[in-house]
Amino acid sequence: MSDERTTPGGPERGPGSGPAGGGPEPEPIRFFGTCWLHHDRGYALRRAAVALGSLLATLAGAVVLRFAFQGLAIGEVGPLVTVLVIAGFAVCSALAFRRTWDGFVRRPDPSSASAADRSAQSLLLIGFLGSLLAYFCRSLIEAPGEKLHRAEYAAARSRHERRRTARTGNPAAKRPKNGQHTKPPKGKRT
């Protein structure tokens, strides 16, 4: 079997195939794979589809919330509860938007993954509209997370190039051939 997977846009490199120079591979992005690197294999169409899909999901979520608010009106819970629910959804959506947007720009610090972050996940789940809107807005600019992945890939490529150019030739070629001996290093006698 081959390491290549066939996608609608053409062959895609598998995890073990590596680029031609043997360097690091770009990390795939959801819905985009690695087409974000060279903007090929339907990149523009994928961005348009992601933007449209996230916008439609946001609208569907808003319709569901409208039904929930109608349920509150039918239950005659009073204006205070309605205002508190609306404010809660608005704050949670704003927090979710900010956190999702920041996730496209920088990786979360693994040392700061505390219990407070895990407990905030339920607030972010309530604010799903904010996450979907952040995904929509970012897909208008680029593939969500492309800037972060591009910077990490460029850094990995430059590290790889530095390591590769730091090597001087083939160390195996410096071995003596056919029993020939080289001079001992200065200061050492045999």
Side-chain angles (χ1 to χ4, degrees):
M1 243 195 215
S2 138
D3 280 332
E4 290 186 350
R5 292 175 287 190
T6 305
T7 59
E12 184 173 285
R13 290 188 179 270
S17 61
E25 290 187 27
E27 185 177 343
I29 297 176
R30 181 183 298 157
F31 305 123
F32 292 91
T34 57
C35 74
W36 60 267
L37 186 61
H38 301 292
H39 293 185
D40 58 352
R41 296 191 326 258
Y43 173 80
L45 185 61
R46 290 179 192 213
R47 264 191 46 206
V50 165
L52 183 63
S54 60
L55 184 62
L56 290 176
T58 303
L59 293 175
V63 168
V64 169
L65 285 180
R66 170 123 172 104
F67 288 139
F69 290 128
Q70 284 179 348
L72 289 175
I74 291 171
E76 298 177 0
V77 293
L80 178 63
V81 174
T82 305
V83 169
L84 287 176
V85 169
I86 291 172
F89 271 106
V91 168
C92 290
S93 292
L95 290 172
F97 182 93
R98 180 65 181 180
R99 181 175 221 134
T100 304
W101 190 268
D102 285 346
F104 295 143
V105 179
R106 64 180 129 343
R107 297 249 184 223
D109 186 18
S111 63
S112 71
S114 64
D117 289 339
R118 286 189 295 272
S119 66
Q121 286 178 351
S122 60
L123 292 175
L124 299 176
L125 182 65
I126 293 169
F128 68 97
L129 290 179
S131 291
L132 289 170
L133 279 176
Y135 212 81
F136 168 72
C137 293
R138 197 60 184 198
S139 63
L140 293 176
I141 300 169
E142 65 180 5
E146 179 180 344
K147 183 177 181 181
L148 172 66
H149 285 79
R150 192 171 295 282
E152 289 175 348
Y153 181 66
R157 290 293 298 170
S158 67
R159 282 192 307 270
H160 174 72
E161 289 299 320
R162 279 194 310 252
R163 281 194 314 263
R164 201 174 78 167
T165 57
R167 298 181 195 137
T168 56
N170 184 358
K174 295 181 182 180
R175 291 186 188 155
K177 296 179 182 178
N178 298 332
Q180 297 175 354
H181 294 287
T182 59
K183 288 183 178 180
K186 290 184 180 181
K188 290 191 175 182
R189 293 187 182 169
T190 53

